């Protein structure tokens, strides 16, 4: 855990009128929930605030309050660069290395504004000026809640901010079932519910908004593409770009797929390999103490959490699969 004092955060906020918020490549529910909650909060403090994402995010997150204000770097490079170069402070949320921003990382490297990291991933880089980092937090949204409360501004958490925070807490904990969930998670949820948000509506907005193609892709993956590593409690999927396009693949369509094999008795590690924009995107999940952050860092140019990490490979899908099947044995 590495947390700077609220005195320092207050001073920075006092001296910053133009604030930019940046989150990681392929933003998920926690990335967007935390970014938009912070955006709405800082807006209430009368700041000029921009949220910049490196690329697009799934449709099932577009209902989030503040969504319309989000700037997609891929579609608006010049505008995003201008905002970042003139920002007084830049908040970097739900990631801890510029590598997670792809090309947007090169712009961040050039900026001089102080950086505030708010994040719960393992082993942060040293780019930040101020840290609000805790690997024991179940989500970056939990940290945003703590951040607002620590600034003495809990009263500003309204229904919109609560909806954003609830979304990140829900999506990063597999709907409140992962080991990262503590009594504190539930206390925060209880506070959020007091604002009038309706949890069942948020669950529906995120999880009951998929296409028929997505469900059929899930069926295809489970039926045809699920493999076990002989002699190891490991299950994984591979998906080619062609297979994905057969099911009219849209961003977010394979989110959550990697977890399905855990419902098989005894499985300790799951993985998903899919071709994506010229490389192989990898997701790793584990149970207990098996450290996928280290594994992803060591072999697949990635990182993340102990039980959930990701990475990439520039080998072919087949060679990536062979490399994984060989190396995964060392985890047992
Ligand atoms: P997912 O498998 O859902 O894409 O990611 C699982 C976790 O690993 C997330 O917390 C995500 O931020 C992190 N992660 C995913 N891909 C990468 C990567 O390429 N590099 C690093 N450092 N972390 C990643
Ligand atoms: Mn997160």
């Amino acid at each position: 855990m590495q947390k700077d004092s609220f005195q320092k955060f207050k001073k920075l906020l006092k001296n910053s009128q133009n604030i930019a918020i940046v989150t990681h490549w392929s933003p998920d529910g926690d990335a967007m929930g935390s970014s938009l909650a912070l955006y709405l909060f800082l807006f209430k403090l009368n700041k000029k605030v921009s949220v910049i994402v490196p690329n697009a995010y799934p449709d099932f997150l577009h209902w989030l309050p503040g969504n319309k204000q989000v700037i997609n770097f891929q579609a608006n490079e010049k505008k995003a660069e201008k905002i970042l170069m003139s920002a007084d402070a830049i908040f970097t949320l739900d990631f801890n290395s510029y590598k997670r921003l792809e090309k947007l990382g090169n712009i961040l490297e050039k900026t001089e504004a102080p950086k505030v990291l708010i994040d719960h991933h393992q082993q942060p880089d040293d780019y930040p000026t101020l840290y609000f980092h805790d690997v024991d937090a179940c989500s970056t949204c939990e940290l945003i809640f703590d951040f607002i409360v620590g600034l003495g501004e809990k009263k500003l958490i309204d229904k919109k901010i609560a909806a954003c925070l609830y979304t990140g807490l829900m999506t990063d904990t597999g709907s409140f079932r992962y080991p990262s969930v503590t009594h504190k998670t539930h206390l925060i949820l209880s506070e959020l519910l007091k604002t009038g948000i309706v949890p069942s509506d948020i669950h529906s907005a995120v999880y009951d908004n998929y296409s028929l193609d997505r469900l059929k892709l899930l069926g295809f993956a489970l039926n045809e593409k699920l493999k076990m590593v002989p002699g190891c409690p490991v299950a994984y999927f591979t998906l080619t770009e062609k297979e994905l396009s057969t099911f009219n693949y849209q961003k977010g369509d394979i989110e959550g797929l990697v977890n399905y094999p855990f419902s098989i008795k005894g499985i300790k590690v799951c993985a998903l390999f899919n071709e994506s924009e010229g490389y192989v995107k990898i997701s790793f999940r584990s149970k207990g103490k098996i450290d996928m952050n280290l594994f992803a860092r060591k072999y697949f140019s990635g990182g993340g959490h102990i039980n959930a990490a990701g990475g990439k490979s520039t080998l072919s899908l087949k060679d990536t699969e062979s490399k994984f099947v060989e190396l995964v044995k060392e985890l047992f």
Side-chain angles (χ1 to χ4, degrees):
M1 182 157 78
Q2 191 176 0
K3 284 184 180 163
D4 282 291
S5 70
F6 281 103
Q7 225 174 341
K8 287 188 182 168
F9 290 119
K10 279 182 185 166
K11 192 169 165 209
L12 180 76
L13 286 175
K14 195 163 163 248
N15 294 332
S16 306
Q17 188 50 34
N18 294 307
I19 299 178
I21 300 169
V22 174
T23 192
H24 61 76
W25 179 259
S26 285
D28 57 9
D30 191 32
M32 292 318 300
S34 59
S35 296
L36 288 170
L38 184 65
Y39 164 82
L40 295 167
F41 167 70
L42 293 174
F43 191 76
K44 282 185 145 181
L45 295 182
N46 297 315
K47 305 296 179 187
K48 195 166 176 293
V49 201
S50 306
V51 176
I52 297 169
V53 295
N55 64 335
Y57 49 95
D59 281 349
F60 59 76
L61 295 173
H62 285 205
W63 63 273
L64 284 167
N67 172 68
K68 282 211 176 88
Q69 312 306 322
V70 176
I71 299 162
N72 178 350
F73 174 71
Q74 272 189 337
N76 293 287
E77 283 198 19
K78 284 276 161 302
K79 185 178 176 188
E81 179 168 358
K82 200 166 157 217
I83 289 168
L84 288 166
M85 295 311 280
S86 61
D88 302 318
I90 301 175
F91 281 73
T92 69
L93 266 49
D94 202 37
F95 70 94
N96 59 25
S97 160
Y98 287 163
K99 279 190 257 165
R100 294 283 287 133
L101 298 175
E102 301 292 339
K103 198 175 162 196
L104 177 57
N106 303 336
I107 311 284
L108 267 268
E109 298 261 14
K110 287 196 289 179
T111 59
E112 284 175 7
K115 315 289 182 305
V116 179
L117 170 142
I118 304 183
D119 180 49
H120 65 136
H121 291 89
Q122 301 276 333
Q123 298 166 281
D125 283 358
D126 61 7
Y127 70 81
T129 316
L130 295 178
Y131 288 83
F132 200 69
H133 179 252
D134 187 355
V135 294
D136 291 328
C138 73
S139 56
T140 299
C141 280
E142 175 175 329
L143 292 171
I144 296 289
F145 180 88
D146 288 349
F147 186 71
I148 295 174
V149 172
L151 290 172
E153 303 288 2
K154 189 173 156 205
K155 58 191 177 297
L156 293 185
I157 299 181
D158 58 14
K159 200 172 167 182
K160 287 182 179 173
I161 294 176
C164 293
L165 294 177
Y166 188 96
T167 299
L169 284 154
M170 175 183 85
T171 54
D172 254 31
T173 58
S175 299
F176 318 116
R177 59 174 293 210
Y178 296 156
S180 57
V181 172
T182 63
H183 81 284
K184 191 182 156 207
T185 318
H186 286 277
L187 285 176
I188 294 173
L189 293 170
S190 162
E191 290 300 316
L192 297 180
L193 262 61
K194 286 181 193 165
T195 65
I197 54 165
V198 181
S200 56
D201 287 352
I202 296 179
H203 284 261
S204 278
V206 173
Y207 296 120
D208 301 338
N209 238 332
Y210 301 144
S211 63
L212 176 61
D213 278 331
R214 185 195 199 264
L215 207 61
K216 293 201 167 188
L217 172 58
L218 168 66
F220 167 74
L222 291 172
N223 211 22
E224 314 261 345
K225 303 294 302 191
L226 178 58
K227 288 191 195 168
M228 313 288 284
V229 176
C232 283
V234 177
Y236 66 95
F237 304 96
T238 58
L239 287 166
T240 64
E241 215 143 32
K242 190 155 174 272
E243 287 163 341
L244 291 170
S245 68
T246 308
F247 293 93
N248 187 29
Y249 173 75
Q250 305 292 313
K251 210 161 246 312
D253 278 358
I254 50 175
E255 222 159 272
L257 172 64
V258 62
N259 294 296
Y260 275 84
F262 278 132
S263 62
I264 306 166
K265 194 173 175 180
I267 290 294
K268 295 278 196 296
V269 169
C270 299
L272 166 63
F273 303 87
N274 66 279
E275 290 177 342
S276 164
E277 297 169 35
Y279 63 92
V280 178
K281 157 89 184 91
I282 308 170
S283 287
F284 293 123
R285 300 290 185 271
S286 67
K287 292 268 193 210
K289 296 205 163 69
I290 301 172
D291 193 337
M292 301 320 289
N293 167 56
L294 279 188
F295 186 76
R297 272 175 197 267
K298 200 166 160 193
Y299 299 121
F300 293 99
S301 320
H305 310 282
I306 289 171
N307 292 140
K312 49 173 83 155
S313 162
T314 47
L315 301 174
S316 69
L317 186 59
K318 267 206 158 52
D319 290 348
T320 305
E321 178 183 356
S322 307
K323 178 177 168 184
F324 169 71
V325 169
E326 194 49 41
L327 291 169
V328 76
K329 294 172 185 149
E330 76 179 43
L331 292 172
F332 300 95

